[in-house]
Amino acid sequence: MLNINYPKIEKKEFPNLELNLVEPIHKLNLRGKNRDFFTKAGKILSIMLPTESNTSATIKNISALWLSPDEWLIYGKDIDKNLMLSLDSEISKLNLGSVTDVSDQWVLINMKGKNVFEVLSKGSPFDFNKFKNTKNVVVQTLLNHVDVILHHNDTNNVDLFVRKSFSEHLWLWINDSSSFL
Amino acid sequence: MKNNYSIFSLLKNSLSYHENWQQAWRDPEPKKEYEAVIVGGGGHGLATAFYLAKKHNMKNIAVVEKGWIGGGNTGRNTTIIRSNYLWDASAGLYDHALKLWENLSQEINYNVMFSQRGVMNLAHNLQDVRDLKRRTHANRLNGIDAVWLSTEEVKKFCPIINTSPDIRYPVLGGTLQRRAGTARHDAVAWGYARGADAMGVDIIQNCEVKGIKRINDAVEGLETTKGFIKTKKIGVVAAGHSSVIANMAGIRLPLESKPLQALVSEPVKPIIDTVVMSNAVHAYVSQSDKGELVIGAGTDAYVSYTQRGSHDVVEGTLKAILELYPIFSRMKMLRQWGGIVDICPDASPIISKTSIKGLYFNCGWGTGGFKATPGSGDLFAHTIANDEPHALNAAFNINRFVSGDLVDEHGAAAVAH
Amino acid sequence: MFIITCPFCGERDQSEFSAGGEAHIVRPKQPTELSDDEWADFLFMRKNIKGIQFERWNHAHGCRKWFNVVRDTSNDKIYAVYKMGEKPPSN
Amino acid sequence: MSENFRSTETKFLDKTNRISFKYNGKKYYGYKGDTLASALLSNGVHLIGRSFKYHRPRGIMTCGSEEPNAIVQIGGNGPFTEPNVRATEQEIYEGLEASSQNCWPNVKFDVGGINNFISPVIPAGFYYKTFMWPKKLWYSLYEPAIRMSAGLGKSPTQPDPELYDHNYLHCDVLVVGGGISGIIAASISADNGNNTVLIDDKNSLGGSTIFQDDENFKIDDEISSVWLNNQIKNIKNKKNLIIKHRTSLAAYHSYNYLLARENLGDHKSLNERSNKLRQRLWKIRAKKVILATGSIERPLIFNNNDRPGVMLANSVKKYIDYFGVRCGNKNVIFTNNDSAYETAISLNKKGINVTIVDIRNYSSSILVKNAKNAGIKIYWNHTVVDTKGYRRIKSIQIMEMSNDGTNVIGSKINLVCDNLSISGGWTPMVHLFTQSGGKLKFRDSDQVFLPNIAMSDQISIGSCNGNFELDDIIKNTISDCKNFLSSSTTDFDLIKVSCPKQKENKNIWLLPNDKPLGKTKPFLDFQNDSTAKDIKLAMREGFRSIEHVKRYTTTGMGTDQGKLANMHALGIISETAGVKMGSLGTTTFRPPYTPLTFGTIVGRNVGTFFDITRKTPMHAWHENHKAKFENVGQWKRAWFYPKGNENMDQSVQRESKAARESAGILDASTLGKIDIKGTDASEFLNRVYTNAWSKLGIGKCRYGLMLNEDGMVYDDGVTTRLSENHYLMTTTTGGAANVLSKLEDYLQTEWPELDVWLTSVTDHFATASVCGPNSKNILKKLFPNIEFNDETFPHMSFKNAELDGIHCRIMRISFTGEHSYEINIESKYGKSLWEKCMDAGKEFNITPYGTETMHLLRAEKGFIIVGQDTDGTMTPIDLQMDWIVSKKKYDFIGKRSLYRSDTMREDRKQLVGLLTDNPSEILEEGAQIVQDEKKQPIEMLGHVTSSYFSPNLNKSIALAVVKNGKKLKGQKLLVPMKDKTIKVTVSDFIFFDSKNERLNA
């Protein structure tokens, strides 16, 4: 059997802040713009892809994050190989858009607790004032010079996506910053 | 006739409480017509006027400046002077300038405080090493005094550099040009202005060019805020504003004007007695005669004429400084400022005739024009006087952007300062 | 650091963007039929305006979309943003 | 026991908390809450340092950030040392060490003081006029001497033990300054529902009103300090309001982006600095900004106005009223306005002897009346013409002024004193306003510059907006804030204020003297020793612009950046030139407002966090196997794997041989990978690469070369056609991000009609590249279900496969010239895949190799590395890669540029091979190549781009770019080194297996 290895990211607790690695978890990148694409994706995922910028849609254990007018990140516990295959065959193969498995492109770190936004504000120029009071919002921004996707899925609960090769570095930085809360 | 500056003149004038010093330059109103007009009273423009008068006997000329002389990039740069460029054309140009620097104080009887404290360029990755060695070999064969230093030699030459192999981008070696160094930037502008003025050149400040008059394909004169000035030859040395003047003449240049920032620390006793440049991590530092650490930051990527840049650029530079000199962490930034630098796609300047007869441009110096000041002025004066480039600036013509014969100093990583 | 309004994502800090230079320089459809001069014009020559400039920016660390910005380069004030393919605002 | 100058009780200090500190090696005491300056003054210490140029003794002059003189070295000689700290801002802590600067051997006796005696010969700009002859001495004597005299304090010489932090902050309203106007503004703003932040640089709020106990200043019938104290209590409970103490605004950039430094540790003893965070930089974005930065008192400019004991009058008031410290026993107040009378009254109330010298004829102010009633002697219409006392002022001489104020008359009066409090009126602190791009206007009545046109959403209130009297300050603050914040009512709408009014303005920038100017020393810039006569000298020499004068005389260039000097410099210039001050403009105020520690600007971005470190999925394996790493962009790549005591050369020779003789394995995960889908994918590739793609079979791979529009090679890599409309592109490691962004740019802006979707999958896949004659055998073991033969799985083709049920993509491609496979797998399995390959390859002595060996192997084969063998000036034709440039395609990126006159030249620099005549001699990469060493100037034909000793050919090989190289094959050239010249022969650049037999073996 092949072993699974992730960068050195272990569960960590700070005052009012808990950090967890949420892996493995399937992630898909969807790109497309025509109506058939939306219909097909909606049908297979049972989610209407959000068209409002910086928002997400979650049904059961699948979330669709808006990344741009023609790009979404889909992730969640309920995604399996079969779902990915059917998206691929119904969308990519039919040339309605593109479906790409990016499960290992991104590493998902969950951050929860009252201090989530305190830590994020140490390294991100994004204004979290509104964001932290709204659920199901998404932002792609920089955190200590690293590209991240942040999904605010519940009060003081953020799913942070970082590209795998950057993840260990960012993890060190999050830990370092959390120690100065 | 101007009085000579010397210790004796200082002593003599001290007896009269320095009440009898002459003006360093006059403050004339423009005449109706000149043999040539230089647009831009920075170091390059004033040097051009000086050499036009001195070497080409063109004395009925003027320098027009929209603000005060030396107030643009001349007074805003980090004063690094070196000639260790890769390509023959660049090496020829900058070493010509360096040779002029070596006698400049005496030539213009104004102490420009040229300090040959050496300039060191550091390598931080293997490609840096290849590039710097390539440059050093080319320099040696071109007669330029650059040598390669091992990491230990770097440390020996400048002990405060952190040469630990454990830092993020360790120092893998460097090059050293000992003849290189710094000079007092303001003095260059003032010295050339005084010298040019003494030969009859009119230096006209607060005189902004508003238009260029041409008849057919030849220039006729300039519209300025001080009226129309007739002339058959216009030499534009307007740095960041070159495109503004070019647009008046109806030509386009391959330039973008971008913010370049620099900063100084509070003054401290001598701590670094050379100039150290590091391209890879972007840190340039030397120490001024007042004791300030003079630090060059980078350019922003967008066009701006505001003389302001992004804070991120300053932060990025200082983090590189602290990576290489952790002892400076508790030093304080006293002042930061920005200039507008005109950058060519190949990071080399233009010293050239144009498609319009009598219109000459000297621009595109990007982040590194100060070091070239005397050479640039000398060669531009030659180009204007003879309506032909000198052999040393022939390669820096505008037409290279059409033919593709660029002098690409990017590739050689010989960027900046 | 400017605040740039990405036409897709809204107001963001300048650090999320990268600058792409003068806008509306369209890549010639038939480059082979251009003279060297015309090609050099496309490749290298820029207006480099002091004043109102139309320029391109990319929301590189956000939605990765390119768009156009109207900015006064003499004071860095941004007057408008608009998407690729949209007409520039006339005043 | 020296005299104790702490004369009165004060509620602002904690008298139970006595603190000891050292100054110039001697132990002193102060109280918690003291600044170093107030503590020294309480011990009677005035002499603090020496000026920069003349080394004149200087003392404490002010109580704030405008202090030019009292700057000291803090923290001893150890790692906590800090130069140029203002004693007026540094709070004392137990164990603080401070010492004087710019003096040797000590501040009382300083050898540099000799400069004061030669000062007649060294006026402003003297160094431009001398040290030129003889030229030799410039290098050996003058220049080193000038450099030696640089600087004030000493740079630290050890790394900083403390840490710095950053924090972004977004708010509706930022109020800068916690004086009375700032407190009112913050209160109004928070009450109006705005999320508000108030920052103040001191350890407590209240500005100068908080110690204003005079009965004449009343708000709502309470003494102003009492009223303000209640307000401060109120605002602390407001829920929309965050108050930050010891936080000073450093920079105000455009778009309301502001930087503020919060001091977390500098006021604490070393033991108390437990978490090591010294300072935090707040990066603030405020929708609206209210500046309430106050004003600073102006000095007066007269002969010898720089002696220790000469202080600003309002500072003297703060020292007595706030710190309870008297600055002398015999005080003279020298003023041109009423505000200094407050100081006189305060001192008088505490029983301290005061005399007033006023340049005005009279004033009807109530303050003046009170001073008179208190029996204070006032010399009207008098000016100070000289002062005496070397290390401390001892006496002054005053004279009556002529009616027009341009001259002095009568005889001198000598006044003995140990303190001279001077007041020249007030200067609004408009620095931050102008930093933000704001334009100023000039108010003639009291000669101040005021905010006029702002570039962002902001207002200035209080005395920084030119309101100097309490009722103006309060009433205008309230109405301005209501307007600015669109608030209809406030708690302050019915406020009642009573205060004395300022009467009789009289301002003289340079006071008259009985001696000619040349014989006097009226200082403007106390730190840099520039005097009024320097300004006049500069103007006489033709320096007219304020910037010229400033630079020539160094006025305003000290660590206080001219906070005290600039207005007088402007005033004297305008008077001398006969130009109105308003039309002269100011010099530019540049950030930071007060000096900002480098460490604070950098924050945690030091050491580990200096730059991002990217790691591959196999990184831990490489580490465990002692790999040395090479930095490639932000990546850490395994460079070589030394065994035992091997050096790099030995490792590389071993690794290279193993790869060619049996099997090698390389971690290629860093290569950029872009997933390309869409019906126009082939057309897209046609446009971005130089070669044609439409006919590439499904399951086949092809090498592509990407150019810039200028025709120069930009990137390269192998792209695989996975299905009809699906490709996987690989890019160079360093080029990955730029290539993707460039491709998106073309798709979004130039070719929006193309149906193509790009997705980066660089991090999704880990890539192990197995090469060598036994690579096939290893793969066979790993993938028993795949047929590995040249018919079913030829070179440049691809197969899907499974390894333990996990999907892999196998490309049979080669960068070494060996039979070779690249296995791509989801990156979480990357390390495991690598280990499987190692296991399966064990019997074949599979050898991990790093980037150095990879570079050697590909050089043997003549494959280029973009960025090493190219430098942005090489076309594909120059690289002798004509074969990859499609002649049939109508267009591709960069094509047109290949047909310019210079790019078409046949004698451009071209890629060639070089063989040294001595096969064991290895050329240096970067070495230059010539034909004739003797000819001057030497013509350099090109340079060595890659060079190695090839263990497989057992000789030295090199790649080079050489002018006209294609035609020089077989010719002898020279590589001149510093100490020798190496003879070389131009060869083909493929040194190894030019028939590609090994690829198909």
Side-chain angles (χ1 to χ4, degrees), chain D residues 157-298:
Chain D
T157 53
Q158 294 173 45
D160 192 343
E162 295 187 283
L163 303 177
Y164 305 83
D165 191 27
H166 282 176
N167 228 136
Y168 287 88
L169 177 65
H170 299 261
C171 61
D172 295 329
V173 178
L174 174 73
V175 182
V176 184
I180 189 163
S181 52
I183 287 167
I184 293 173
S187 183
I188 293 173
S189 170
D191 287 346
N192 203 32
N194 297 305
N195 140 22
T196 306
V197 176
L198 168 66
I199 64 170
D200 186 64
D201 58 353
K202 300 283 191 306
N203 55 12
S204 61
L205 298 178
S208 58
T209 308
I210 203 69
F211 56 90
Q212 179 57 275
D213 294 330
D214 194 301
E215 292 280 341
N216 291 303
F217 297 82
K218 283 200 163 167
I219 307 169
D220 286 344
D221 298 326
E222 287 178 311
I223 288 180
S224 58
S225 58
V226 174
W227 182 88
L228 184 60
N229 210 21
N230 289 330
Q231 291 304 316
I232 293 172
K233 278 181 200 150
N234 279 344
I235 61 166
K236 283 185 177 158
N237 300 320
K238 292 199 193 288
K239 79 174 188 315
N240 288 332
L241 179 64
I242 299 169
I243 303 171
K244 296 207 169 292
H245 298 287
R246 294 192 178 95
T247 303
S248 60
L249 202 86
Y252 189 165
H253 296 298
S254 56
Y255 288 82
N256 274 355
Y257 185 62
L258 305 95
L259 302 174
R261 175 202 55 214
E262 182 182 16
N263 175 13
L264 302 166
D266 280 343
H267 56 292
K268 292 182 184 162
S269 70
L270 299 188
N271 305 335
E272 292 170 305
R273 300 185 196 178
S274 51
N275 76 354
K276 291 192 167 180
L277 267 196
R278 183 186 175 205
Q279 296 179 351
R280 176 178 286 133
L281 188 72
W282 290 94
K283 299 178 169 182
I284 306 173
R285 279 284 188 197
K287 295 199 175 72
K288 287 169 177 281
V289 175
I290 298 175
L291 293 175
T293 47
S295 54
I296 54 175
E297 198 167 24
R298 293 176 184 171

Side-chain angles (χ1 to χ4, degrees), chain A residues 3-157:
Chain A
N3 297 319
I4 292 177
N5 285 287
Y6 277 95
K8 293 177 213 148
I9 300 174
E10 301 99 29
K11 183 175 171 151
K12 206 81 186 259
E13 281 182 37
F14 293 95
N16 292 313
L17 179 65
E18 196 185 311
L19 307 171
N20 274 302
L21 177 72
V22 190
E23 291 289 353
I25 193 161
H26 284 301
K27 310 173 198 79
L28 288 170
N29 185 287
L30 258 59
R31 300 202 67 174
K33 56 189 169 191
N34 61 37
R35 204 192 318 173
D36 290 347
F37 164 80
F38 279 98
T39 319
K40 270 278 163 59
K43 220 185 229 166
I44 300 167
L45 291 166
S46 315
I47 293 182
M48 282 305 290
L49 294 176
T51 50
E52 190 186 333
S53 59
N54 309 316
T55 63
S56 69
T58 303
I59 287 183
K60 288 186 191 159
N61 277 318
I62 297 179
S63 292
L65 315 186
W66 181 95
L67 299 182
S68 92
D70 55 26
E71 186 167 9
W72 291 262
L73 182 70
I74 316 293
Y75 77 109
K77 283 186 210 144
D78 289 355
I79 300 178
D80 57 17
K81 285 271 168 192
N82 287 335
L83 187 71
M84 290 164 78
L85 283 175
S86 62
L87 279 168
D88 191 49
S89 58
E90 303 264 322
I91 294 176
S92 291
K93 297 252 161 68
L94 299 178
N95 299 317
L96 297 178
S98 104
V99 177
T100 311
D101 183 359
V102 289
S103 299
D104 280 9
Q105 174 80 357
W106 299 96
V107 169
L108 172 50
I109 296 169
N110 179 264
M111 307 173 72
K112 63 181 176 211
K114 271 201 298 217
N115 275 331
V116 166
F117 295 102
E118 299 297 316
V119 173
L120 293 175
S121 291
K122 284 178 183 286
S124 174
F126 183 70
D127 180 357
F128 290 106
N129 282 329
K130 236 195 208 152
F131 190 86
K132 67 181 166 197
N133 295 317
T134 323
K135 276 192 223 173
N136 296 320
V137 283
V138 178
V139 61
Q140 297 169 88
T141 184
L142 289 167
L143 185 59
N144 189 44
H145 315 290
V146 178
D147 283 291
V148 290
I149 303 170
L150 302 173
H151 180 207
H152 189 216
N153 46 34
D154 203 350
T155 308
N156 292 330
N157 189 326

Side-chain angles (χ1 to χ4, degrees), chain D residues 860-872:
Chain D
E860 288 178 334
K861 185 66 184 161
F863 290 144
I864 59 151
I865 291 183
V866 173
Q868 177 170 345
D869 302 297
T870 71
D871 60 2

Side-chain angles (χ1 to χ4, degrees), chain C residues 1 27 36 39 56 66 76, chain D residues 255 709 745 748 896-897:
Chain C
M1 308 302 297
R27 189 174 187 275
D36 281 3
W39 181 246
R56 290 154 23 95
W66 285 89
D76 287 341
Chain D
Y255 288 82
E709 284 291 14
D745 186 1
Q748 290 177 30
R896 174 63 184 83
S897 288

Side-chain angles (χ1 to χ4, degrees), chain D residues 54 223 379-380 464 539 639 905 929:
Chain D
Y54 300 138
I223 288 180
Y379 291 92
W380 293 109
C464 74
M539 297 190 68
W639 189 15
R905 272 193 302 118
I929 300 154

Side-chain angles (χ1 to χ4, degrees), chain D residues 51-65:
Chain D
S51 61
F52 179 67
K53 189 173 169 189
Y54 300 138
H55 288 252
R56 284 169 68 105
R58 292 282 164 76
I60 297 159
M61 219 182 150
T62 72
C63 59
S65 65

Side-chain angles (χ1 to χ4, degrees), chain B residues 17-18 103 115 308 333, chain D residues 120 135 143 435 519 540 596:
Chain B
Y17 307 111
H18 304 284
N103 289 303
S115 164
R308 289 154 194 265
M333 174 167 86
Chain D
K135 197 179 151 191
E143 206 252 334
Q435 273 184 26
K519 286 193 176 180
R540 201 174 301 128
L596 187 59

